[in-house]
Amino acid sequence: MKRYVAGAGSMMLLMTAGLFLWIGANSQEVVIPDAPPPPEPMEPEGLPEADQTAPTLGPPPPTPPKAYKASREERRFNRYDRNRDEVITRLELMSSRTKVFKALDKDGNNLLTFEEWAVATSDRFAGADADENGQLTRSEFRSTRPKRTASRCKC
């Protein structure tokens, strides 16, 4: 019971103190200083005028150099050539693709040059081009898709 009486008494004291602070803050007048006058507008000096003999146009900007655009086969080759030494090693070509690598490496030195890569893809194109007109139709292109293997469950 003493706690409740003590708590109520301390609440009354806090409320009384808050009331006195509120009344005291309201009775004080806060003086807001006047704003400084705006700066006087300055007269513009005017734009500079060119001499009558000045050229109207400057020299044209330099043209940027043309960037080399790699062919599709070069981009595919570069995807496998990780260290950019212009040869694809067996480690660079994924280990799951060793049969493909051995088939592409014609000289058997475990290095695949761009020429070996290009010959293999050119031969693949020629094999898919059934009518030998230098163009692949949709049905001819479909024949270049890798053969699907039956997936085995490793349960």
Side-chain angles (χ1 to χ4, degrees), residues 69-126:
K69 184 170 171 99
S71 69
R72 182 174 181 217
E73 287 301 313
E74 287 176 307
R75 287 192 308 261
R76 286 181 63 204
F77 182 84
N78 290 337
R79 195 177 317 145
Y80 290 107
D81 187 18
R82 300 290 180 166
N83 60 359
R84 302 292 184 242
D85 61 350
E86 296 299 321
V87 290
I88 298 174
T89 63
R90 188 178 296 249
L91 292 174
E92 287 175 327
L93 195 63
M94 301 178 324
S95 63
S96 64
R97 311 263 310 178
T98 55
K99 288 181 186 176
V100 175
F101 183 88
K102 286 180 182 179
L104 294 176
D105 185 21
K106 298 296 183 188
D107 57 359
N109 64 352
N110 285 337
L111 298 173
L112 187 64
T113 62
F114 181 75
E115 287 76 21
E116 290 172 325
W117 177 276
V119 166
T121 54
S122 175
D123 292 344
R124 188 172 179 188
F125 181 91

Side-chain angles (χ1 to χ4, degrees), residues 42-50:
M42 296 173 47
E43 293 200 21
E45 296 177 5
L47 296 175
E49 293 184 19

Side-chain angles (χ1 to χ4, degrees), residues 1-15:
M1 183 70 169
K2 289 181 181 179
R3 286 185 183 172
Y4 292 117
V5 172
S10 61
M11 281 298 281
M12 293 300 278
L13 282 173
L14 283 173
M15 288 177 66

Side-chain angles (χ1 to χ4, degrees), residues 24-69:
N26 279 340
S27 65
Q28 293 179 357
E29 283 194 32
V30 178
V31 178
I32 299 175
D34 292 332
E40 293 185 21
M42 296 173 47
E43 293 200 21
E45 296 177 5
L47 296 175
E49 293 184 19
D51 188 15
Q52 295 294 332
T53 60
T56 56
L57 296 175
T63 57
K66 295 283 185 186
Y68 174 74
K69 184 170 171 99

